[in-house]
Amino acid sequence: MNYLYYPGCSLGGTAVEYNLSTISLMEKLNAELVEIEDWTCCGATAAQSVNQLLSFVLPARNLALAEKMNQNLDILVPCSACYLNLKKAQVALGSDKKIKAQINDILISEDLSVAGSLNVRHLLDVLSRDVDVTDISAVAGNKMDGLTIAPYYGCQCLRPFAVFDDPESPKSMDPFIRATGAQPLDWDMGGQCCGASNASTKPAVGQALVGRILEAAEGVDAIVTVCPMCQMNLENFQKTRGRNANSSVEIPIFYLPQFLGLAMGISPETLGLGLNLSKNTQLLSMMAI
Amino acid sequence: MSLEGLIKKQEDKQGIQEQLAQVKNMVKTCIQCGTCSASCPNIEFMDITPRKMWRMLLMDRFEELLNSKSFYYCSTCYFCTLRCPRGLELTNAMSALKQIGSRLKLKHFRSSALFYESFMNNVRQYGRVREMEMMTRYLLALKSPGQSLSYAPLGVKLLVKGKIRPELPSMGAGKLAALFDKVLDYESDHESDQVSNQVSEQILVQAQEG
């Protein structure tokens, strides 16, 4: 179980704990991640809002670098926005000869070429289809017994490509939460939008969308996410919302591999738990971690 | 305001008309069922519903469409694309309108356009996004002290946690400059390739009349 690894820009900055926890969880599950050499930005949502061709060329450059490494492995991507951009490029390269030719024309400037032969997969896809969940429960025991956890998927790991889960009513995190002894919250906000980059340019929109999600999650012990954008929006707007509503209730928000890693006995330091913006020390001491 | 009035640089005219023709083509089989509007998480912020936007495109009401703020609120959640009974790529149509909005430097699209511009300049320069420099340049370009200040608490927290770090800007040619330039050259060479002339002519006539 080895993968080529595309961390993406956020995982080197504001989502560094997602990188730490993904690497340490995959190591615990005996999977080796080989980082794509010299990878660059996937274009995020910015490229497709400015220039259509660039929004294919930027992710395709990374697919070309991955192919150049000559290892016939799937590409694992933890960030949902990176995943979608790389996936879009993979799909376009496989189905649209014209765009494939255009992309390759442009990649000559980087001395690269791309076939689109490697499969791009989100971290949650890899966990839910390649990992035996009993490997986690066997190590975790019932460490998280008594907790209720809200699985929050966001958008772009589910849509528009419905690869590994139901894009309307996702459930792929449930078995993993149960494997730790915790109960997954049964709710209908798991696949709803957090506001994405609107939160940076139109804070009121982010506030409204995150507010709906946090309200629906009220009473849970924690929320788990699989996307740096979702994580940042939930954590950051929770603070503002708490101040406005005069509420001191703060829900700890973890990346899924942080939560699973904790349950499997990986240390909070290794998982970067001190780097989260939401407070989690109370929950950790309650769980005797 | 006419489309002509929105297009500030004459050399952009043909390209923008072609882009509009392409978006129009993307929604040409829309049956006006409204599933997109009912699925949109941002609809309460929009002045025109997505369903109505597609109808306006098909009726060549481009100026009204581009003067509306609706496409600017799309957060690319892909619910409309997933649920469209005609299988239309509506999220991509929204992105195409954003591309036109960026190119036209529409006033109401300014904060988004500046954000995208800061982001893409950062990628062109470094290959990977330096989040701190990107946000700093965006907020400076925005020239809004109030909005800049509202990001301060988050910025300080991220700095303290070491998640963003001040780095000296590099003035070199840019890690991906050659790639970016090639894309722009390529587009100016090939722009007229893929467009239906008929639709393009319609837009031209309308722009001239407007």
Side-chain angles (χ1 to χ4, degrees):
Chain A
M1 224 174 47
N2 297 332
Y3 304 90
L4 290 170
Y5 185 51
Y6 179 84
C9 303
S10 294
L11 274 74
T14 47
V16 63
E17 68 272 38
Y18 195 17
N19 192 36
L20 296 171
S21 55
T22 297
I23 292 171
S24 54
L25 176 70
M26 293 313 286
E27 192 186 313
K28 190 95 180 169
L29 294 168
N30 298 316
E32 196 193 331
L33 305 184
V34 186
E35 190 166 323
I36 297 172
E37 284 160 31
D38 192 40
W39 61 264
T40 45
C41 174
C42 71
T45 44
Q48 67 176 1
S49 308
V50 177
N51 185 303
Q52 180 74 4
L53 185 53
L54 193 60
S55 76
F56 282 108
V57 169
L58 285 172
R61 180 185 185 274
N62 296 300
L63 298 183
L65 290 168
E67 287 173 15
K68 205 175 145 188
M69 290 171 76
N70 264 329
Q71 303 189 35
N72 196 17
L73 298 173
D74 289 350
I75 302 173
L76 185 155
V77 190
C79 166
S80 297
C82 299
Y83 158 73
L84 177 55
N85 282 333
L86 266 58
K87 191 80 190 167
K88 264 187 190 170
Q90 179 205 334
V91 170
L93 286 164
S95 62
D96 187 335
K97 282 187 184 136
K98 190 174 169 190
I99 191 115
K100 186 176 181 179
Q102 286 179 338
I103 290 170
N104 276 296
D105 265 1
I106 286 161
L107 285 180
I108 294 173
S109 66
E110 298 270 310
D111 281 327
L112 290 170
S113 70
V114 65
S117 54
L118 298 175
N119 194 19
V120 176
R121 301 178 65 195
H122 191 271
L123 172 65
L124 190 53
D125 175 8
V126 165
L127 289 176
S128 58
R129 295 198 296 175
D130 296 4
V131 171
D132 185 350
V133 76
T134 57
D135 287 350
I136 293 177
S137 54
V139 180
N142 268 326
K143 190 152 187 163
M144 301 297 183
D145 187 25
L147 298 184
T148 303
I149 305 295
Y152 182 68
Y153 300 79
C155 300
Q156 299 191 339
C157 69
L158 302 172
R159 296 180 296 273
F161 301 111
V163 177
F164 60 92
D165 205 341
D166 179 344
E168 289 278 1
S169 168
K171 291 272 177 257
S172 54
M173 282 199 243
D174 284 4
F176 290 93
I177 293 170
R178 287 202 188 92
T180 69
Q183 275 306 310
L185 177 70
D186 184 14
W187 65 335
D188 55 11
M189 292 303 284
Q192 298 294 318
C193 182
C194 73
S197 71
N198 271 350
S200 303
T201 50
K202 302 169 269 291
V205 180
Q207 188 77 50
L209 269 62
V210 169
R212 289 176 209 157
I213 296 161
L214 292 173
E215 260 163 48
E218 219 164 273
V220 300
D221 297 291
I223 301 174
V224 288
T225 72
V226 286
C227 169
M229 194 91 212
C230 300
Q231 177 83 15
M232 170 65 90
N233 284 349
L234 288 178
E235 290 195 313
N236 186 39
F237 280 103
Q238 176 167 238
K239 302 266 180 196
T240 330
R241 185 171 172 270
R243 272 201 301 277
N244 295 344
N246 246 341
S247 150
S248 57
V249 183
E250 196 177 313
I251 308 173
I253 300 162
F254 299 104
Y255 287 104
L256 178 69
Q258 286 187 306
F259 184 74
L260 299 179
L262 272 179
M264 294 179 79
I266 302 174
S267 79
E269 294 74 34
T270 309
L271 296 165
L273 280 166
L275 295 165
N276 294 48
L277 299 181
S278 57
K279 293 193 182 74
N280 51 41
T281 42
Q282 208 181 340
L283 183 83
L284 296 191
S285 62
M286 195 172 95
M287 303 315 294
I289 293 167
Chain B
M1 190 189 279
S2 70
L3 187 58
E4 192 86 318
L6 288 174
I7 301 175
K8 291 175 194 80
K9 286 194 274 178
Q10 279 310 299
E11 64 267 29
D12 274 356
K13 199 159 120 188
Q14 194 195 350
I16 283 164
Q17 283 160 352
E18 284 166 2
Q19 276 179 300
L20 277 167
Q22 283 172 27
V23 196
K24 181 173 172 177
N25 200 39
M26 289 169 87
V27 298
K28 73 178 172 200
T29 61
C30 171
I31 53 169
Q32 290 289 291
C33 69
T35 302
C36 47
S37 299
S39 303
C40 181
N42 298 298
I43 193 146
E44 65 189 272
F45 302 99
M46 296 179 172
D47 48 0
I48 301 174
T49 63
R51 178 196 61 77
K52 194 167 175 184
M53 289 173 69
W54 316 134
R55 191 68 197 146
M56 288 170 101
L57 262 173
L58 293 173
M59 296 178 77
D60 295 339
R61 286 161 64 182
F62 301 121
E63 323 79 67
E64 267 175 278
L65 181 67
L66 291 171
N67 279 320
S68 121
K69 288 187 177 180
S70 292
F71 60 92
Y72 144 115
Y73 282 105
C74 167
S75 55
T76 58
C77 76
Y78 290 90
F79 265 123
C80 55
T81 303
L82 179 77
R83 293 175 181 166
C84 176
R86 301 294 284 170
L88 302 178
E89 296 190 352
L90 299 175
T91 311
N92 290 348
M94 287 285 189
S95 296
L97 290 172
K98 289 179 194 170
Q99 290 166 23
I100 297 169
S102 299
R103 192 161 171 180
L104 285 173
K105 300 197 185 312
L106 295 175
K107 217 171 186 175
H108 61 268
F109 196 57
R110 181 173 166 268
S111 66
S112 294
L114 286 173
F115 180 78
Y116 299 140
E117 192 181 316
S118 309
F119 194 102
M120 294 320 293
N121 286 342
N122 206 264
V123 173
R124 179 190 169 103
Q125 191 62 29
Y126 304 114
R128 299 178 189 177
V129 179
R130 292 188 180 181
E131 289 161 312
M132 185 161 182
E133 183 176 325
M134 187 271 287
M135 278 309 280
T136 309
R137 286 190 187 269
Y138 163 61
L139 292 171
L140 282 173
L142 202 57
K143 296 193 180 102
S144 160
Q147 192 159 352
S148 303
L149 271 176
S150 72
Y151 288 97
L154 175 62
V156 169
K157 236 175 287 160
L158 293 172
L159 266 173
V160 169
K161 300 238 179 209
K163 292 177 143 189
I164 55 174
R165 45 198 176 269
E167 289 169 282
L168 283 176
S170 123
M171 308 309 266
K175 163 86 179 163
L176 292 180
L179 186 83
F180 273 58
D181 290 343
K182 186 114 190 245
V183 169
L184 295 177
D185 285 352
Y186 197 92
E187 293 212 314
S188 56
D189 291 350
H190 295 75
E191 197 142 53
S192 54
D193 281 4
Q194 1 175 315
V195 185
S196 136
N197 285 330
Q198 201 192 343
V199 185
S200 179
E201 265 164 36
Q202 275 174 21
I203 300 171
L204 195 64
V205 169
Q206 190 205 6
Q208 280 160 352
E209 283 167 355

mmCIF file of all heavy atoms in Angstrom, chain B residues 113-127:
data_model
loop_
_atom_site.group_PDB
_atom_site.id
_atom_site.type_symbol
_atom_site.label_atom_id
_atom_site.label_comp_id
_atom_site.label_asym_id
_atom_site.label_seq_id
_atom_site.Cartn_x
_atom_site.Cartn_y
_atom_site.Cartn_z
ATOM 1 N N ALA B 113 -11.809 39.600 -7.745
ATOM 2 C CA ALA B 113 -10.801 39.660 -8.803
ATOM 3 C C ALA B 113 -9.421 39.954 -8.221
ATOM 4 O O ALA B 113 -8.427 39.353 -8.625
ATOM 5 C CB ALA B 113 -11.191 40.711 -9.836
ATOM 6 N N LEU B 114 -9.375 40.857 -7.241
ATOM 7 C CA LEU B 114 -8.087 41.177 -6.610
ATOM 8 C C LEU B 114 -7.535 39.974 -5.848
ATOM 9 O O LEU B 114 -6.333 39.709 -5.847
ATOM 10 C CB LEU B 114 -8.236 42.363 -5.645
ATOM 11 C CG LEU B 114 -8.402 43.732 -6.288
ATOM 12 C CD1 LEU B 114 -8.721 44.776 -5.220
ATOM 13 C CD2 LEU B 114 -7.136 44.132 -7.050
ATOM 14 N N PHE B 115 -8.436 39.240 -5.191
ATOM 15 C CA PHE B 115 -8.013 38.047 -4.460
ATOM 16 C C PHE B 115 -7.410 37.026 -5.430
ATOM 17 O O PHE B 115 -6.317 36.507 -5.210
ATOM 18 C CB PHE B 115 -9.207 37.435 -3.711
ATOM 19 C CG PHE B 115 -8.861 36.195 -2.922
ATOM 20 C CD1 PHE B 115 -8.227 36.293 -1.694
ATOM 21 C CD2 PHE B 115 -9.169 34.929 -3.418
ATOM 22 C CE1 PHE B 115 -7.902 35.150 -0.965
ATOM 23 C CE2 PHE B 115 -8.845 33.793 -2.700
ATOM 24 C CZ PHE B 115 -8.222 33.897 -1.474
ATOM 25 N N TYR B 116 -8.135 36.755 -6.522
ATOM 26 C CA TYR B 116 -7.638 35.783 -7.496
ATOM 27 C C TYR B 116 -6.305 36.252 -8.084
ATOM 28 O O TYR B 116 -5.392 35.466 -8.301
ATOM 29 C CB TYR B 116 -8.646 35.588 -8.634
ATOM 30 C CG TYR B 116 -9.985 35.053 -8.180
ATOM 31 C CD1 TYR B 116 -11.177 35.538 -8.727
ATOM 32 C CD2 TYR B 116 -10.076 34.056 -7.214
ATOM 33 C CE1 TYR B 116 -12.406 35.055 -8.322
ATOM 34 C CE2 TYR B 116 -11.306 33.575 -6.797
ATOM 35 C CZ TYR B 116 -12.465 34.075 -7.355
ATOM 36 O OH TYR B 116 -13.681 33.602 -6.950
ATOM 37 N N GLU B 117 -6.219 37.579 -8.338
ATOM 38 C CA GLU B 117 -5.005 38.119 -8.937
ATOM 39 C C GLU B 117 -3.817 37.966 -7.981
ATOM 40 O O GLU B 117 -2.732 37.531 -8.394
ATOM 41 C CB GLU B 117 -5.238 39.599 -9.272
ATOM 42 C CG GLU B 117 -4.177 40.203 -10.157
ATOM 43 C CD GLU B 117 -4.463 41.687 -10.418
ATOM 44 O OE1 GLU B 117 -5.625 42.037 -10.689
ATOM 45 O OE2 GLU B 117 -3.509 42.483 -10.316
ATOM 46 N N SER B 118 -4.026 38.298 -6.706
ATOM 47 C CA SER B 118 -2.943 38.151 -5.731
ATOM 48 C C SER B 118 -2.521 36.692 -5.646
ATOM 49 O O SER B 118 -1.337 36.360 -5.566
ATOM 50 C CB SER B 118 -3.393 38.601 -4.336
ATOM 51 O OG SER B 118 -3.972 39.866 -4.391
ATOM 52 N N PHE B 119 -3.523 35.805 -5.652
ATOM 53 C CA PHE B 119 -3.260 34.366 -5.559
ATOM 54 C C PHE B 119 -2.431 33.895 -6.753
ATOM 55 O O PHE B 119 -1.395 33.246 -6.597
ATOM 56 C CB PHE B 119 -4.602 33.628 -5.501
ATOM 57 C CG PHE B 119 -4.487 32.188 -5.062
ATOM 58 C CD1 PHE B 119 -4.808 31.821 -3.769
ATOM 59 C CD2 PHE B 119 -4.067 31.208 -5.951
ATOM 60 C CE1 PHE B 119 -4.704 30.500 -3.361
ATOM 61 C CE2 PHE B 119 -3.965 29.882 -5.555
ATOM 62 C CZ PHE B 119 -4.286 29.524 -4.256
ATOM 63 N N MET B 120 -2.887 34.263 -7.955
ATOM 64 C CA MET B 120 -2.212 33.755 -9.148
ATOM 65 C C MET B 120 -0.820 34.366 -9.321
ATOM 66 O O MET B 120 0.101 33.695 -9.767
ATOM 67 C CB MET B 120 -3.068 33.992 -10.406
ATOM 68 C CG MET B 120 -4.376 33.209 -10.437
ATOM 69 S SD MET B 120 -4.304 31.508 -9.836
ATOM 70 C CE MET B 120 -3.290 30.747 -11.081
ATOM 71 N N ASN B 121 -0.657 35.639 -8.936
ATOM 72 C CA ASN B 121 0.678 36.240 -9.001
ATOM 73 C C ASN B 121 1.641 35.510 -8.077
ATOM 74 O O ASN B 121 2.812 35.310 -8.395
ATOM 75 C CB ASN B 121 0.627 37.721 -8.591
ATOM 76 C CG ASN B 121 0.009 38.568 -9.686
ATOM 77 O OD1 ASN B 121 -0.078 38.138 -10.833
ATOM 78 N ND2 ASN B 121 -0.438 39.767 -9.337
ATOM 79 N N ASN B 122 1.111 35.125 -6.906
ATOM 80 C CA ASN B 122 1.910 34.394 -5.938
ATOM 81 C C ASN B 122 2.345 33.036 -6.496
ATOM 82 O O ASN B 122 3.493 32.619 -6.345
ATOM 83 C CB ASN B 122 1.036 34.216 -4.687
ATOM 84 C CG ASN B 122 1.829 34.061 -3.430
ATOM 85 O OD1 ASN B 122 2.062 32.938 -3.018
ATOM 86 N ND2 ASN B 122 2.259 35.149 -2.833
ATOM 87 N N VAL B 123 1.431 32.353 -7.157
ATOM 88 C CA VAL B 123 1.735 31.045 -7.741
ATOM 89 C C VAL B 123 2.737 31.199 -8.882
ATOM 90 O O VAL B 123 3.681 30.413 -9.010
ATOM 91 C CB VAL B 123 0.447 30.359 -8.244
ATOM 92 C CG1 VAL B 123 0.767 29.071 -8.997
ATOM 93 C CG2 VAL B 123 -0.488 30.074 -7.087
ATOM 94 N N ARG B 124 2.547 32.234 -9.689
ATOM 95 C CA ARG B 124 3.468 32.481 -10.788
ATOM 96 C C ARG B 124 4.893 32.719 -10.265
ATOM 97 O O ARG B 124 5.869 32.203 -10.794
ATOM 98 C CB ARG B 124 2.994 33.726 -11.563
ATOM 99 C CG ARG B 124 3.871 34.104 -12.721
ATOM 100 C CD ARG B 124 3.459 35.479 -13.260
ATOM 101 N NE ARG B 124 4.450 35.972 -14.196
ATOM 102 C CZ ARG B 124 4.304 35.959 -15.524
ATOM 103 N NH1 ARG B 124 3.190 35.526 -16.057
ATOM 104 N NH2 ARG B 124 5.265 36.384 -16.297
ATOM 105 N N GLN B 125 4.975 33.468 -9.158
ATOM 106 C CA GLN B 125 6.281 33.830 -8.615
ATOM 107 C C GLN B 125 6.975 32.657 -7.919
ATOM 108 O O GLN B 125 8.157 32.411 -8.121
ATOM 109 C CB GLN B 125 6.108 35.003 -7.631
ATOM 110 C CG GLN B 125 7.410 35.650 -7.181
ATOM 111 C CD GLN B 125 8.179 36.274 -8.352
ATOM 112 O OE1 GLN B 125 7.595 36.698 -9.345
ATOM 113 N NE2 GLN B 125 9.496 36.302 -8.252
ATOM 114 N N TYR B 126 6.220 31.944 -7.071
ATOM 115 C CA TYR B 126 6.870 30.951 -6.207
ATOM 116 C C TYR B 126 6.530 29.497 -6.545
ATOM 117 O O TYR B 126 7.123 28.586 -5.984
ATOM 118 C CB TYR B 126 6.500 31.213 -4.742
ATOM 119 C CG TYR B 126 6.838 32.617 -4.297
ATOM 120 C CD1 TYR B 126 5.835 33.518 -3.955
ATOM 121 C CD2 TYR B 126 8.160 33.053 -4.245
ATOM 122 C CE1 TYR B 126 6.143 34.824 -3.569
ATOM 123 C CE2 TYR B 126 8.477 34.341 -3.867
ATOM 124 C CZ TYR B 126 7.466 35.221 -3.529
ATOM 125 O OH TYR B 126 7.770 36.507 -3.160
ATOM 126 N N GLY B 127 5.542 29.294 -7.394
ATOM 127 C CA GLY B 127 5.133 27.920 -7.678
ATOM 128 C C GLY B 127 4.149 27.411 -6.643
ATOM 129 O O GLY B 127 3.131 26.833 -6.960
#
